[in-house]
Amino acid sequence: MNAFGGKSQSHVRYRYFAAQAEAEKLPNVARLFRAIAYSEYIQASNYHLKLGHLERIFTTSSIVTCGFGNTKKNLALAITGKEFGITEMYPPEYKGLTKSRKEKITERNLLWNYLVERLHKKLLEKVKKVIDKNHDIEPKSIHICRVCGYTRRGELPNKCPICKVTKEKFTTFT
Ligand code: FE2
C-alpha cells in the first residue's frame, strides 16, 4: 500500500518537474521527466493491481519530497529520491518480508522496482552532470516498458532486460 502511495506521488512529482524543465527551455530533460513519470505510473499500477483482494478502502502512508525548485534542484531531489528507493524502500530485506508472507507477485514487483530505481538514478546522475554545465542533454528518445517500467534512453531494445517482454510492449517518448 505504501509503495503504491509513494509511486503515485512520484508520478505527479515528475510531471511537475517536466513542466518546470519546459519552462526553462530544456525540452530534452522535460522528456526524460515525463518518461520517468510514466514509469512511476506503471509501477504504481502494478502495486495497485495486487491490492484488489483487500475489497476495502485503504489509506497509504508514504512520503515523497516535493518543492518548487529549478531543474538543477529538481534533478538533485530526484537523485536523492532514487537513492531512498534503493536503500530504504525496496532493498533485499524488504523483499524478504514479502517472501515470508508468500506474496510472490509483490516480491517480483519490489525486485523490478529496485532494478528500475537503480537505472533511473544512473540516468539522472548522467543528465545532472550536463545540466550543471548549463547545457541541455541530447534529444534522444526514451522507451518505457509498460509491464515493469524499465527505462532506456536511445535505442529501443528488442526485449525488456528486466521482465523479458518484447519491444511491442514499450511506449516511446520522442
Ligand atoms: Fe519490462
Side-chain angles (χ1 to χ4, degrees):
M1 283 185 259
N2 293 342
F4 165 66
K7 290 279 137 193
S8 306
Q9 290 173 329
S10 291
H11 165 74
V12 175
R13 180 173 81 150
Y14 282 105
R15 291 186 68 164
Y16 283 132
F17 286 178
Q20 177 61 31
E22 283 293 352
E24 289 176 43
K25 309 231 177 306
L26 295 166
N28 302 316
V29 180
R31 180 187 304 113
L32 175 69
F33 281 144
R34 273 201 312 276
I36 291 180
Y38 183 59
S39 171
E40 300 289 344
Y41 163 74
I42 299 289
Q43 294 172 73
S45 303
N46 283 341
Y47 289 120
H48 191 253
L49 277 173
K50 276 307 295 168
L51 295 168
H53 69 284
L54 293 176
E55 292 178 349
R56 63 177 169 85
I57 290 169
F58 64 87
T59 54
T60 67
S61 171
S62 52
I63 300 166
V64 172
T65 315
C66 298
F68 296 91
N70 59 22
T71 295
K72 279 183 190 173
K73 282 185 185 164
N74 289 342
L75 279 164
L77 203 58
I79 292 164
T80 308
K82 296 294 172 187
E83 181 65 33
F84 175 78
I86 295 163
T87 56
E88 304 281 331
M89 191 86 193
Y90 316 107
E93 296 84 352
Y94 195 73
K95 293 200 288 285
L97 278 177
T98 60
K99 198 172 240 171
S100 64
R101 292 178 193 160
K102 297 188 174 37
E103 294 180 18
K104 287 206 178 314
I105 302 290
T106 302
E107 191 191 341
R108 182 208 64 183
N109 287 342
L110 285 162
L111 175 63
W112 283 356
N113 218 162
Y114 174 74
L115 296 170
V116 171
E117 291 290 285
R118 279 203 319 192
L119 277 173
H120 284 174
K121 183 170 176 269
K122 273 187 198 163
L123 205 49
L124 289 161
E125 283 170 340
K126 221 170 147 185
V127 168
K128 188 175 182 297
K129 276 186 192 160
V130 180
I131 297 302
D132 283 345
K133 288 178 187 155
N134 298 318
H135 300 298
D136 193 3
I137 52 171
E138 286 178 57
K140 291 181 181 173
S141 297
I142 302 157
H143 315 280
I144 304 290
C145 172
R146 294 194 297 277
V147 175
C148 72
Y150 169 76
T151 305
R152 165 83 62 91
R153 186 166 168 254
E155 290 292 305
L156 173 66
N158 281 325
K159 212 173 169 183
C160 175
I162 293 180
C163 73
K164 314 296 178 203
V165 295
T166 53
K167 61 183 176 187
E168 290 73 25
K169 296 275 187 188
F170 275 73
T171 292
T172 297
F173 290 75
T174 54

